[in-house]
Amino acid sequence: MSACSLDETAIDLLVPAFYARVRADALLGPIFESAIDDWPHHLAKLKDFWSSVMLASGRYKGQPMPAHIRHERALSEEAFARWLAIWRETTDELLAPAVARAFQDKAARIAESLQLGMQFHRER
Ligand code: HEM
């Protein structure tokens, strides 16, 4: 199945598929398994996040920066590269090309700002 437009259906399809792959990944799986107890809650939160980011729904009220700074020792450059590779793979497989591209560009920008934030935090 492929979602043609950028809407809630695309997000509902994408988020669980992405985290299923992340959990099965040798590098990322253990990081997430040790940090997350309640997967349905995490998936619902990440659907809200992407809905806010891509559709301006305002559903996500959290703060991604401290959530990642908490785990900064595990979040290497290699881990980010893997996260983005799995994101690219999942979006390319599930979404129409233009929609996949929009999700990929956004994720790359957010990943960069998370990495800059963690770097700033380390240097303080
Ligand atoms: C939360 C890991 C990259 C978005 C989390 C949590 C973990 C995690 C373990 C749960 C934190 C906690 O509750 O203690 C990672 C890893 C990444 C990565 C290993 C790459 C190396 C990203 C990227 C984005 C993102 C690139 C966005 C494009 C989020 C959001 C949350 C979250 C929105 C929820 C924060 C909250 O609690 O409100 N991530 N993450 N993550 N992540 Fe990531």
Side-chain angles (χ1 to χ4, degrees), residues 18-19 22 27-28 31-36 39 41-42 45-46 49-50 53 60-68 70-71 74-84 87 103 106-112 114-115 118:
F18 172 70
Y19 284 100
V22 158
L27 175 63
L28 299 181
I31 303 174
F32 280 92
E33 293 312 325
S34 71
I36 291 166
W39 275 97
H41 177 76
H42 183 72
K45 183 158 57 176
L46 269 288
F49 173 75
W50 283 107
V53 166
Y60 176 75
K61 307 280 185 221
Q63 293 188 314
M65 194 64 82
H68 294 87
R70 252 202 304 281
H71 301 283
L75 303 196
S76 61
E77 214 162 290
E78 193 192 356
F80 267 97
R82 182 72 59 82
W83 192 107
L84 289 168
W87 186 255
F103 276 97
K106 198 57 137 181
R109 277 202 294 276
I110 297 169
E112 198 178 354
L114 288 174
Q115 286 179 289
M118 292 191 317

Side-chain angles (χ1 to χ4, degrees), residues 2-24:
S2 162
C4 293
S5 45
L6 206 179
D7 56 16
E8 295 295 344
T9 311
I11 292 169
D12 285 345
L13 198 66
L14 176 60
V15 167
F18 172 70
Y19 284 100
R21 292 178 191 204
V22 158
R23 293 178 77 175

